[in-house]
Amino acid sequence: MKMKKTILFSIACFAITTASAQFAQFDATFDMQHGDIVTADVDNDGDLDIIVSGETGNPATVKNAIFINNGGTYTLQGTENVITPGHFADIKLGDIDGDGDLDVIFNGNSNGNMGKGIALNDGSGNFTRSTLDVTTATISCGFADFNNDGLLDYYVIGNGTANMGTLFFQNVDGTFTKDQSSFTNLNLIDADISTVDFNNDGYIDMFISAWDDTAKSRYSAILINDGFGKFTAMAQPNLIRKGYGSSVWGDVDGDGWLDLLLNGDGGADGEGSSDIYRLYKNNGGSLEPKATFNDYRQISVGDGSRLVDWDNDGDLDIILTGWSGTKGRQVTMLFECTNAANFTYVENALSNTDFPGVSECSIETADLNNDGKIDLMITGYNGDQATQVGKFNRNICGYVLNQSATVNTKPTAPTALTNQFTQSGTETLMTLSWAAATDAQTPQKSLTYNLALKNTTTGKWFYNPMAVIGGTTDGWRKVSSHGNVFTNKRWELYNLPNGRYEWTVQAIDANFMGGSFAATKTFTIGLSGVEKIISGVTVQTNAGTLTIKNSSSNALDVNVYNLTGGLLKSVKTNSDFNMPLNKGIYLVKMSNGIETITQKVVL
């Protein structure tokens, strides 16, 4: 059990009167490199917490932490932390069990099997390790619905053919089907994966950069999803392959296609340099190089850069990190966009005055103090630099609060939500669509969208928006990322299980600020397009209680089972039925003597 420890992170400490920013460490004793840092509201209290993991020292030791935000002051979480990826940490968030809380998938090289896993959230930010399989992968991982069935899947990839890329497709009953068919010809080392709908077809694709240990060369490729979770590499003749770096996406020129910022070590396609970040335009599915940024070598895997609108002027700026031979030190650079249509950038002075330089690094951007300005979190190797910003440990882990003059505003809510159901035999298709939102800063075509979809019959989230729906903070994001359906305004879902559903959508701007959600829509699904239910009977889950409301005149036989078939409760009732249950998945069988149905519920 870790002792609770208060650290200096009070927002009140940063009432800065100048236009500059300041860097502060989370904790003078917490330093790391080759790690990952992410922000998320893991305890559902309306502010962003911090999850970090990496390594420090020589010989290297693993450091992991969850810092809980208490209204501007961060404390080290007092419970044992099971999120322990360590070296080359990769940490991603999603609601894998559909219970409404943010879970974590993580990979890394530390402590044998303890360096990888899925951690389930109890809703208060306390995590327990799941038994879900992550194979032997150790480098890159994440969540996404790859086959558009509304259920969250996950991927992992490690080093070599023994740890090849693996997809785990979630089934309706909560089990997973393992599939490696899209990766059988790949023999990759230190692979970094980013997910994106590259060709705007409504299916989530993958971008991979790595070392190809068969070809003995760098490997970079966009893998296109066929809609059923099968991936094929798309030829990109203008792409200069990189590895041992990172890739990030954003719509620089406002055309509705997400562009690519790629870096990493060279050694392929005639480029031996390892210190180039290259910005590509996504021209309708074809990558075209538009700008390069020299000389900055990340010397790590993943999260070395960001595309964000730092100054809230409507253009995507670039933050990148690495070792600069020209400057003779590690750097964290801010490049300000001056002409989005031409992909033109100039160096901002904050690069040399306010941002501590790092290589072997991971960075994150999020609005930590909810002031409408994107902030910067930095981890990595600083090298005891006494000449830049201040003198720190060799490894650092901290943040810079943005002091830009202009404040970001959130997008409007999407409009004209429609859902259309079609069926062919036993195959069903639900198509959700909406009209575009607008934003005062971000170009309309650059907005991404965040879909919320819940089966209210079972209480299970299919697309958890990882955002607040309704109330005074409607639309506030619990994570800092693009919307889960990217720039699409139409989304197809196949073979949804029977039940009542409600759905809504919000727009996400260039700084990952969420707009208000549209008015909620509802639909029902059944074998013939109509929900199969017992008339007058509804099933609800709320606050750890299963409730069956019986407004019919018939007595109802109710049997509640766990997933292994064990009978937990059997009653006959003419009225409503309530049963406290622990978090989990259960089967409820109900009969009124005429109709009998069995349905799954998630608490």
Side-chain angles (χ1 to χ4, degrees):
M1 183 72 69
K2 294 182 179 178
M3 297 299 293
K4 195 169 186 180
K5 179 181 180 182
T6 302
I7 63 170
L8 183 62
F9 192 85
S10 173
I11 298 302
C13 294
F14 295 92
I16 301 171
T17 57
T18 68
S20 64
Q22 287 187 2
F23 177 81
Q25 297 197 93
F26 287 103
D27 186 335
T29 65
F30 193 89
D31 58 327
M32 56 174 244
Q33 60 174 283
H34 287 305
D36 198 7
I37 181 167
V38 297
T39 56
D41 182 13
V42 298
D43 55 358
N44 293 309
D45 66 349
D47 49 32
L48 292 174
D49 311 301
I50 309 292
I51 306 175
V52 292
S53 184
E55 67 177 8
T56 191
N58 188 15
T61 58
V62 170
K63 284 199 171 183
N64 312 285
I66 299 176
F67 292 112
I68 298 297
N69 187 346
N70 299 298
T73 300
Y74 279 60
T75 56
L76 185 64
Q77 188 184 62
T79 57
E80 182 180 2
N81 181 13
V82 301
I83 303 170
T84 57
H87 178 70
F88 282 174
D90 190 18
I91 303 169
K92 298 289 190 344
L93 295 122
D95 184 8
I96 190 64
D97 53 5
D99 66 353
D101 305 319
L102 300 187
D103 307 312
V104 170
I105 186 170
F106 59 95
N107 270 341
N109 291 324
S110 73
N111 303 328
N113 288 334
M114 294 299 291
K116 57 187 174 58
I118 292 176
L120 301 178
N121 190 348
D122 70 352
S124 299
N126 301 308
F127 292 89
T128 56
R129 191 178 291 264
S130 167
T131 59
L132 291 174
D133 182 17
V134 292
T135 70
T136 54
T138 57
I139 299 299
S140 191
C141 59
F143 294 118
D145 177 17
F146 289 115
N147 55 356
N148 284 52
D149 63 356
L151 298 166
L152 195 62
D153 312 310
Y154 64 97
Y155 67 87
V156 293
I157 191 170
N159 288 337
T161 55
N163 306 299
M164 74 172 65
T166 305
L167 299 176
F168 292 87
F169 292 101
Q170 186 169 176
N171 304 308
V172 173
D173 62 0
T175 62
F176 289 81
T177 299
K178 181 178 179 179
D179 184 359
Q180 296 180 310
S181 60
S182 296
F183 306 93
T184 53
N185 296 323
L186 298 180
N187 179 16
L188 304 179
I189 305 295
D190 294 338
D192 176 62
I193 294 180
S194 55
T195 54
V196 61
D197 185 5
F198 175 73
N199 54 354
N200 287 351
D201 64 352
Y203 308 127
I204 298 176
D205 310 307
M206 289 183 170
F207 185 84
I208 305 181
S209 59
W211 171 261
D212 184 338
D213 209 32
T214 298
K216 303 301 179 184
S217 178
R218 298 296 170 189
Y219 177 92
S220 295
I222 183 72
L223 273 59
I224 297 298
N225 186 351
D226 68 355
F228 299 95
K230 301 296 183 182
F231 292 83
T232 304
M234 172 189 279
Q236 293 292 337
N238 297 317
L239 179 65
I240 296 177
R241 292 169 292 172
K242 295 288 188 178
Y244 204 63
S246 56
S247 57
V248 292
W249 300 85
D251 183 12
V252 174
D253 54 351
D255 64 354
W257 295 78
L258 295 177
D259 308 306
L260 169 66
L261 179 63
L262 175 65
N263 74 290
D265 286 2
D269 304 315
E271 183 171 274
S273 173
S274 296
D275 57 6
I276 292 177
Y277 283 75
R278 182 171 281 106
L279 183 60
Y280 292 89
K281 173 183 171 63
N282 181 354
N283 189 4
S286 178
L287 291 174
E288 300 176 355
K290 286 294 183 180
T292 58
F293 304 87
N294 309 339
D295 58 333
Y296 314 106
R297 186 184 180 204
Q298 183 183 346
I299 323 175
S300 194
V301 178
D303 284 335
S305 59
R306 284 291 186 274
L307 284 165
V308 294
D309 184 9
W310 180 265
D311 51 8
N312 292 322
D313 66 350
D315 297 324
L316 282 180
D317 306 308
I318 290 174
I319 301 175
L320 59 82
T321 57
W323 166 260
S324 170
T326 301
K327 295 179 182 292
R329 57 173 172 83
Q330 288 78 16
V331 296
T332 300
M333 304 293 297
L334 172 62
F335 289 95
E336 182 181 351
C337 183
T338 56
N339 188 313
N342 293 321
F343 291 76
T344 305
Y345 287 81
V346 296
E347 180 180 329
N348 187 286
L350 290 175
S351 306
N352 301 302
T353 60
D354 293 72
F355 294 171
V358 285
S359 60
E360 290 100 326
C361 51
S362 170
I363 64 174
E364 169 76 301
T365 52
D367 185 0
L368 286 176
N369 52 357
N370 290 325
D371 66 350
K373 303 168 188 177
I374 200 79
D375 304 309
L376 173 64
M377 282 137 284
I378 305 173
T379 69
Y381 179 69
N382 174 255
D384 284 324
Q385 294 179 31
T387 59
Q388 184 196 25
V389 183
K391 184 173 176 61
F392 303 103
N393 299 330
R394 292 172 66 83
N395 298 327
I396 61 174
C397 181
Y399 59 94
V400 177
L401 294 181
N402 190 337
Q403 301 298 313
S404 299
T406 304
V407 174
N408 188 26
T409 57
K410 70 181 188 178
T412 63
T415 58
L417 276 64
T418 60
N419 43 260
Q420 181 177 357
F421 179 84
T422 57
Q423 183 172 358
S424 176
T426 60
E427 301 295 312
T428 65
L429 169 65
M430 179 61 72
T431 303
L432 309 178
S433 59
W434 53 91
T438 59
D439 185 79
Q441 291 83 33
T442 303
Q444 185 178 49
K445 290 184 178 180
S446 298
L447 294 171
T448 62
Y449 292 91
N450 199 36
L451 176 64
L453 175 67
K454 187 177 186 179
N455 185 327
T456 57
T457 303
T458 64
K460 180 182 175 70
W461 282 100
F462 277 58
Y463 277 52
N464 184 336
M466 299 191 285
V468 175
I469 299 179
T472 58
T473 59
D474 181 40
W476 182 81
R477 298 275 284 151
K478 298 181 181 181
V479 295
S480 185
S481 64
H482 294 300
N484 55 20
V485 296
F486 299 95
T487 58
N488 291 284
K489 296 181 287 297
R490 179 180 183 274
W491 201 251
E492 296 180 348
L493 294 163
Y494 302 98
N495 299 323
L496 290 174
N498 296 354
R500 294 189 185 91
Y501 289 84
E502 61 182 20
W503 72 281
T504 181
V505 67
Q506 69 175 157
I508 310 294
D509 70 11
N511 281 347
F512 313 125
M513 176 181 281
S516 295
F517 280 92
T520 299
K521 301 279 287 185
T522 62
F523 61 84
T524 60
I525 289 287
L527 293 177
S528 60
V530 179
E531 177 190 10
K532 183 179 179 182
I533 60 175
I534 297 176
S535 178
V537 176
T538 59
V539 179
Q540 301 174 355
T541 57
N542 185 43
T545 300
L546 166 67
T547 298
I548 299 174
K549 292 187 174 295
N550 182 14
S551 61
S552 70
S553 58
N554 298 321
L556 191 67
D557 290 305
V558 178
N559 292 280
V560 182
Y561 303 88
N562 59 28
L563 277 184
T564 62
L567 180 62
L568 303 179
K569 188 79 172 180
S570 180
V571 298
K572 189 180 187 73
T573 178
N574 290 90
S575 58
D576 295 346
F577 167 73
N578 296 286
M579 181 179 178
L581 287 171
N582 295 326
K583 279 194 173 185
I585 303 174
Y586 302 89
L587 297 175
V588 180
K589 183 178 180 180
M590 296 169 289
S591 176
N592 63 0
I594 302 171
E595 299 173 285
T596 299
I597 66 169
T598 300
Q599 67 183 53
K600 183 177 68 173
V601 297
V602 180
L603 278 83

